Amino acid sequence: MNTVTVITGGTSGIGRAICKKVSENSSKDDGIFVVYGHNDEMAQSLKEEVSGISEAEIVLIKADLSSYDAIGIIKNSILEHTDHINNLILNAGISTYASFDEYTPEMWENIIRTNLNIPVFLVKELKSIIADKGSILFMGSHAGQATYSSSLVYSVSKAGVLFAARSMVKLFDDRGIRVNAIAPGFIETRWQDNRSEESYNIINRKIALHRFGTPEEVAELSYHVLTNTYLNGSIYDVHGGYDFF
Ligand SMILES: NC(=O)c1ccc[n+]([C@@H]2O[C@H](COP(=O)([O-])OP(=O)(O)OC[C@H]3O[C@@H](n4cnc5c(N)ncnc54)[C@H](OP(=O)(O)O)[C@@H]3O)[C@@H](O)[C@H]2O)c1
């Protein structure tokens, strides 16, 4: 394989839009490894959709990123096809809107493990096969920079992701590998499926553009950060002008 991209959570929402963007810019000898955890139907439909966009090889990897076992599954699946990775996108993430009083240690640990610990250890495990001048991109959140009391554990996990991304830069400077993060605000994905009109209205009043972003808008920025060869060690906001009042 020539240019190899690995993306977690690439079958839905933001990750799916990034997959499509990457495939638009890929050619026959390139490979895109798409990790997902549960929904086979979404994964198959992504594969079919991307096959219509480019001739790049799409490899689906089913691995539940709430378990450390996923790390070995992902690495072995990649090594069955290629010996290197050029772009690694750590996008999969989960949240909860349970109230603080409903929190359990298990719930807290599951979200921190899925959103922060496993992406970090995935980088550690894949480090040796990331090509020189490669690119690592973490999906953070504006919730990791501002305090959203509505999801304390999610905010804490994403603050950790953003800090980890910046802290990793020096681990890779001898090989020219860049590490960056994206921090989206409110994006129109299935995460918003149960949001009431009232909630939309409250949030839209706080966004200067008065609307949620699209996965494609996040994908545009993500692809730019992934491929621009002088972007390193930074966090890129994409929130339509949130909370500027
Ligand atoms: N939507 C927003 O407003 C927003 C805002 C800021 C940041 N973000 C961040 O953007 C990222 C993507 O969010 P999204 O809104 O696009 O979510 P989404 O539509 O729910 O997609 C999530 C993706 O992650 C995969 N995934 C979820 N749990 C997994 C697990 N345990 N193991 C492996 N894969 C798993 C899903 O596949 P399966 O369902 O098959 O497991 C799916 O491909 C997340 O990190 C999120 O924190 C989202």
Side-chain angles (χ1 to χ4, degrees), residues 11-12 14 38-39 64-65 91 154 158 185 187 189-191:
T11 56
S12 172
I14 293 170
H38 311 88
N39 194 325
D64 182 352
L65 287 163
N91 164 75
Y154 177 72
K158 291 297 184 177
I187 308 302
T189 70
R190 66 182 179 181
W191 280 29

Side-chain angles (χ1 to χ4, degrees), residues 68 71 116-126 168:
Y68 286 98
I71 296 173
L116 175 61
N117 301 3
I118 289 183
V120 165
F121 278 91
L122 194 53
V123 172
K124 177 175 181 278
E125 194 58 35
L126 298 180
M168 275 186 189

Side-chain angles (χ1 to χ4, degrees), residues 8-15 35-40 42 63-66 90-94 114-115 139-142 154 158 183-192 212:
T8 67
T11 56
S12 172
I14 293 170
V35 182
Y36 70 102
H38 311 88
N39 194 325
D40 300 317
M42 291 278 283
D64 182 352
L65 287 163
S66 65
L90 301 139
N91 164 75
I94 55 170
T114 305
N115 290 2
M139 193 55 64
S141 171
H142 188 59
Y154 177 72
K158 291 297 184 177
F186 289 88
I187 308 302
E188 206 52 80
T189 70
R190 66 182 179 181
W191 280 29
Q192 320 302 346
F212 283 29

Side-chain angles (χ1 to χ4, degrees), residues 5-201:
T5 300
V6 177
I7 178 166
T8 67
T11 56
S12 172
I14 293 170
R16 190 177 179 104
I18 295 174
C19 268
K20 288 197 262 177
K21 184 77 193 166
V22 169
S23 59
E24 280 165 19
N25 291 281
S26 298
S27 49
K28 200 165 139 290
D29 297 326
D30 297 337
I32 307 173
F33 292 80
V34 183
V35 182
Y36 70 102
H38 311 88
N39 194 325
D40 300 317
E41 223 172 283
M42 291 278 283
Q44 277 308 329
S45 80
L46 181 267
K47 189 167 179 172
E48 280 159 32
E49 202 176 345
V50 166
S51 304
I53 302 174
S54 91
E55 290 180 278
E57 186 173 349
I58 309 298
V59 180
L60 297 173
I61 304 174
K62 189 172 187 178
D64 182 352
L65 287 163
S66 65
S67 157
Y68 286 98
D69 294 344
I71 296 173
I73 295 170
I74 293 168
K75 188 174 185 184
N76 291 337
S77 306
I78 294 167
L79 289 176
E80 278 171 24
H81 294 83
T82 184
D83 59 0
H84 69 282
I85 297 168
N86 301 93
N87 301 311
L88 175 61
I89 307 162
L90 301 139
N91 164 75
I94 55 170
S95 187
T96 175
Y97 285 103
S99 72
F100 185 50
D101 288 336
E102 292 166 332
Y103 276 19
T104 62
E106 292 74 23
M107 201 191 275
W108 180 278
E109 278 164 17
N110 185 46
I111 291 177
I112 299 288
R113 189 182 335 110
T114 305
N115 290 2
L116 175 61
N117 301 3
I118 289 183
V120 165
F121 278 91
L122 194 53
V123 172
K124 177 175 181 278
E125 194 58 35
L126 298 180
K127 191 169 176 273
S128 61
I129 57 166
I130 299 176
D132 290 358
K133 298 191 175 15
S135 180
I136 301 172
L137 186 65
F138 284 89
M139 193 55 64
S141 171
H142 188 59
Q145 296 171 308
T147 48
Y148 286 14
S149 56
S150 58
S151 190
L152 177 69
V153 60
Y154 177 72
S155 296
V156 170
S157 73
K158 291 297 184 177
V161 165
L162 296 177
F163 204 82
R166 284 167 50 78
S167 304
M168 275 186 189
V169 168
K170 288 298 284 176
L171 300 177
F172 291 99
D173 67 344
D174 55 335
R175 295 165 54 204
I177 294 168
R178 300 176 296 105
V179 190
N180 292 289
I182 305 289
F186 289 88
I187 308 302
E188 206 52 80
T189 70
R190 66 182 179 181
W191 280 29
Q192 320 302 346
D193 282 355
N194 297 318
R195 190 176 290 286
S196 67
E197 201 180 327
E198 189 195 357
S199 170
Y200 266 110
N201 289 339

